[in-house]
Amino acid sequence: MLTWIWLGLVVGSVVVGAFTGRLDEVTKAAFDMAGTAVTIAISLIGVMSLWLGLMRVAEKAGLIQLLARALKPVFRRLFPEIPDGHPALGSILLNVSASWLGLGNAATPLGLKAMEQLQELNPLKDTASNSQVTFLAINTASITLIPATIIALRAGAGSANPTEIVGTTLVASGCATVTAVLASRLLQRFFPARRAGEVNDA
Amino acid sequence: MLDALRPAIDTFSYAMVPFLFVAIPVLAVARKVRLYEEFVEGAKGGFETALRIIPYLVAILVAIGMFRASGALDLLAGLLAPLTERIGLPAEILPVALMRPLSGSGSLGLVTELIQVHGPDSLIGRIASTIYGSTETTFYVLAVYFGSVGIRRTRHAVVAGLLADCVGILTAVWICRAMFL
């Protein structure tokens, strides 16, 4: 996919540049931007280090577990198919808490574990269960408490207030997450796990 | 409704980072975490993260930089403007919205370029920042999580994920216009 987008951009630029007589500017932009990319990446190092340091402390202090405990009552209702006491809900809570806190490295293994445990409960192994779709949807819309990369990028570009987008990001990601949950729950009966005509022997 | 919400959102943006700078270290020390050592250990990752994104940034910034310099981006934005103006989305941001579900590094490159060209504190810079922060790379998450357990029939997962992306993007445009205009 990215191959075609990239090809389209580069070839499109040269063709349009030839027509508009700006080929020299196109060439110059390519070299300028290659240098700019490195400058930007270097400018991210400080803020990223600061944030990753603080986040490691948060992880060691058990912040993931604290948030998971707070979210448990809500999440039990979102996954009615998971039996009481099954470990899948615990893994889901830890994954979601880690990703909401911005701990991507901790979140992914926890999420894969949760998906594996949901698969144990799934009667049709090649087809996603309702819980698996809801869990995935929550992950694709992930609430973001602190958008660290963007803050670093804005700080590097000389923003007067790099964190002013923290609130707007939380509102947008919150609405996206609510939509993800609602869509996964409301649409599930229009996408049955078994095709029409198949015998339901469950 | 927004009039009541605006100070809350503003306060949140203003106070969240300082709050975490107090709450996390205090919690850590209370729980006997070796605060300083763990901080330094975590901070080592910053260098690595920045180096890791360089090749992706070069690829996207070069391509989009050429596209802009040739005049093709203005052409495209001009064509798309009547469509995107109806929802208040500046045409420049549409590529970010389209790229976001497909590629994390690709959309980060596009946002980086918009911030460089228009400035981080422009409306375009703010909307682009909010969009990047508020949605995930839907197709990547889908491939990794469902792929790991061998699920091929994904049912309504793609629809739900993309619907969430659309709502996230539209909310980002709306809330930024409401907060920053």
Side-chain angles (χ1 to χ4, degrees):
Chain A
M1 189 70 194
L2 270 183
T3 300
W4 295 108
I5 295 174
W6 204 79
L7 185 74
L9 284 175
V10 173
V11 173
S13 311
V14 174
V15 171
V16 174
F19 273 107
T20 54
R22 296 198 204 163
L23 269 183
D24 52 338
E25 287 167 53
V26 172
T27 311
K28 187 173 178 301
F31 292 143
D32 282 353
M33 279 313 214
T36 305
V38 177
T39 315
I40 291 170
I42 301 291
S43 77
L44 291 179
I45 294 176
V47 180
M48 286 308 285
S49 299
L50 169 63
W51 190 250
L52 290 173
L54 192 66
M55 281 298 113
R56 179 167 170 112
V57 173
E59 203 181 326
K60 294 282 168 188
L63 206 64
I64 297 175
Q65 286 77 5
L66 270 182
L67 183 60
R69 208 176 306 160
L71 293 173
K72 192 172 178 184
V74 179
F75 271 66
R76 204 177 342 216
R77 281 165 203 221
L78 296 182
F79 296 93
E81 293 92 354
I82 300 176
D84 268 344
H86 193 277
L89 189 65
S91 301
I92 289 173
L93 281 164
L94 291 177
N95 160 266
V96 170
S97 303
S99 82
W100 288 6
L101 290 170
L103 299 163
N105 290 339
T108 306
L110 291 165
L112 293 176
K113 181 91 194 149
M115 202 44 104
E116 205 180 295
Q117 288 164 340
L118 289 174
Q119 186 72 344
E120 289 167 15
L121 297 168
N122 182 9
L124 292 166
K125 297 301 178 198
D126 70 334
T127 305
S129 67
N130 290 342
S131 300
Q132 285 173 320
V133 174
T134 303
F135 175 57
L136 193 95
I138 292 174
N139 259 289
T140 64
S142 185
I143 283 182
T144 315
L145 209 51
I146 301 288
T149 310
I150 283 292
I151 294 175
L153 203 58
R154 293 170 56 81
S159 169
N161 188 354
T163 63
E164 70 183 350
I165 45 78
V166 172
T168 55
T169 301
L170 185 74
V171 171
S173 62
C175 290
T177 302
V178 171
T179 306
V181 171
L182 286 179
S184 73
R185 285 283 133 185
L186 294 176
L187 293 175
Q188 64 192 26
R189 61 192 161 113
F190 301 110
F191 295 83
R194 285 157 201 277
R195 291 185 200 86
E198 274 177 324
V199 184
N200 192 337
D201 56 2
Chain B
M1 182 192 89
L2 194 75
D3 282 337
L5 223 57
R6 190 195 301 255
I9 296 171
D10 252 342
T11 310
F12 186 83
S13 297
Y14 177 73
M16 194 59 204
V17 173
F19 168 76
L20 290 177
F21 268 113
V22 175
I24 291 173
V26 169
L27 180 74
V29 170
R31 297 210 164 175
K32 311 238 180 328
V33 173
R34 296 181 313 146
L35 174 63
Y36 190 76
E37 286 84 349
E38 295 295 351
F39 178 88
V40 173
E41 192 57 37
K44 285 179 189 164
F47 194 71
E48 193 191 308
T49 308
L51 288 189
R52 203 174 50 222
I53 65 170
I54 287 181
Y56 301 99
L57 275 185
V58 169
I60 296 294
L61 288 188
V62 165
I64 196 76
M66 290 169 69
F67 204 65
R68 186 183 291 281
S70 72
L73 192 69
D74 290 334
L75 224 65
L76 191 68
L79 284 175
L80 294 171
L83 267 170
T84 57
E85 264 166 17
R86 303 186 70 158
I87 52 169
L89 180 77
E92 290 87 342
I93 295 179
L94 195 69
V96 177
L98 296 176
M99 182 75 100
R100 190 69 191 93
L102 295 173
S103 162
S105 54
S107 49
L108 181 64
L110 293 179
V111 171
T112 306
E113 203 255 359
L114 285 177
I115 287 178
Q116 290 291 313
V117 172
H118 298 277
D121 301 329
S122 63
L123 185 66
I124 288 178
R126 286 156 163 169
I127 295 178
S129 302
T130 302
I131 288 178
Y132 181 81
S134 58
T135 53
E136 260 292 338
T137 317
T138 299
F139 287 101
Y140 173 77
V141 174
L142 197 92
V144 170
Y145 280 7
F146 279 170
S148 74
V149 290
I151 285 173
R152 286 180 293 110
R153 291 179 61 201
T154 60
R155 295 172 63 207
H156 52 306
V158 176
V159 181
L162 290 181
L163 214 56
D165 288 340
C166 286
V167 169
I169 289 162
L170 292 177
T171 312
V173 172
W174 171 76
I175 194 78
C176 285
R177 295 190 83 93
M179 294 292 295
F180 300 127
L181 269 186

